[in-house]
Amino acid sequence: SKINIRAVMAYSEESGVDDPHNGIYRNTALGASYNTLYSDRYLMTPELSKLSNYAGLVPYDQIVILVNTEKYGGGGIYNFYSINSTRGRKNLEVFIHEFGHSFAGLADEYYSSEVSYNDYFPLDVEPWEPNITTRINFSSKWESMIESDTPIPTPAKTKYENTVGLFEGGGYVAKGVFRPFIDCRMKTNEAKDFCPVCSLAVIKT
């Protein structure tokens, strides 16, 4: 109820999206392309001036790009834009995940799938993102939201599946980076929604 949404139609000469790994190139309004940073599912656009020209037709604080393709994928840049396929697998879930990145600065909480980054978060520095921690300055994160009888670190067991805790694994690594919930939309597409910590970050934003 606090978000105004305006749609801008950006007509393209051809339908679809660039997919360089498969030799596919389309003449589109924003030049959206998969294979960003050599990741097959990482969908972004390098045409930032064109993007700004289209978005500038209306007042905006956040941009969402919807790409006409059935291939799975998306991407998000904090305080700028998110992008995802309109007809790809889990497209609604991906939309929410990428919105988490672009709107609230949420970090990826997954660590077992192929990614474009290695050792992205130095373990001797507290990440600025609100939903992961290296425990360097955990008091600045969600420590106050954890019940006193919750073990720290928190075992990833069914008993704690609806508990805010300190679960190891996140930010693309299995060790040294912690997340607040067993599962969250920032971790998997199967999660029901954002966890309480991520939800609070969205509300604060």
Side-chain angles (χ1 to χ4, degrees):
S1 63
K2 295 184 183 298
I3 297 177
N4 297 310
I5 300 173
R6 298 174 177 87
V8 175
M9 178 63 74
Y11 290 98
S12 295
E13 293 295 323
E14 296 179 295
S15 181
V17 63
D18 291 354
D19 192 355
H21 285 180
N22 293 306
I24 298 172
Y25 297 91
R26 296 285 186 263
N27 183 5
T28 61
L30 297 179
S33 178
Y34 287 99
N35 312 143
T36 302
L37 300 179
Y38 307 104
S39 173
D40 186 59
R41 68 177 186 271
Y42 201 172
L43 176 62
M44 299 296 278
T45 176
E47 302 285 353
L48 301 184
S49 60
K50 291 182 180 179
L51 172 60
S52 296
N53 286 339
Y54 275 109
L57 295 172
V58 297
Y60 72 88
D61 296 300
Q62 188 69 210
I63 303 169
V64 175
I65 304 169
L66 302 176
V67 178
N68 186 23
T69 177
E70 295 181 354
K71 183 174 177 177
Y72 175 83
I77 300 175
Y78 176 51
N79 209 28
F80 190 14
Y81 77 86
S82 63
I83 181 171
N84 69 284
S85 64
T86 57
R87 295 178 287 121
R89 175 176 57 88
K90 298 281 187 178
N91 64 313
L92 295 178
E93 289 83 355
V94 173
F95 172 90
I96 296 170
H97 175 93
E98 302 302 348
F99 178 79
H101 285 313
S102 63
F103 182 74
L106 300 177
D108 284 320
E109 295 179 6
Y110 54 80
Y111 52 88
S112 58
S113 59
E114 182 179 338
V115 297
S116 300
Y117 316 105
N118 292 308
D119 302 320
Y120 188 76
F121 296 99
L123 299 185
D124 59 347
V125 176
E126 183 64 36
W128 63 264
E129 293 87 344
N131 62 319
I132 60 170
T133 181
T134 54
R135 303 186 71 180
I136 297 299
N137 186 17
F138 183 41
S139 62
S140 69
K141 297 299 178 67
W142 65 91
E143 185 176 43
S144 63
M145 297 174 67
I146 300 177
E147 298 290 341
S148 60
D149 60 347
T150 301
I152 301 296
T154 313
K157 297 181 178 180
T158 305
K159 177 181 179 181
Y160 301 108
E161 64 182 350
N162 295 311
T163 301
V164 174
L166 191 71
F167 299 89
E168 192 163 23
Y172 320 117
V173 294
K175 298 291 183 181
V177 176
F178 298 81
R179 65 190 190 279
F181 225 59
I182 283 184
D183 201 7
C184 171
R185 183 52 50 77
M186 298 312 295
K187 183 174 184 287
T188 71
N189 287 325
E190 285 65 46
K192 182 180 178 181
D193 207 338
F194 290 129
C195 73
V197 171
C198 290
S199 295
L200 181 60
V202 170
I203 290 168
K204 285 183 175 180
T205 302

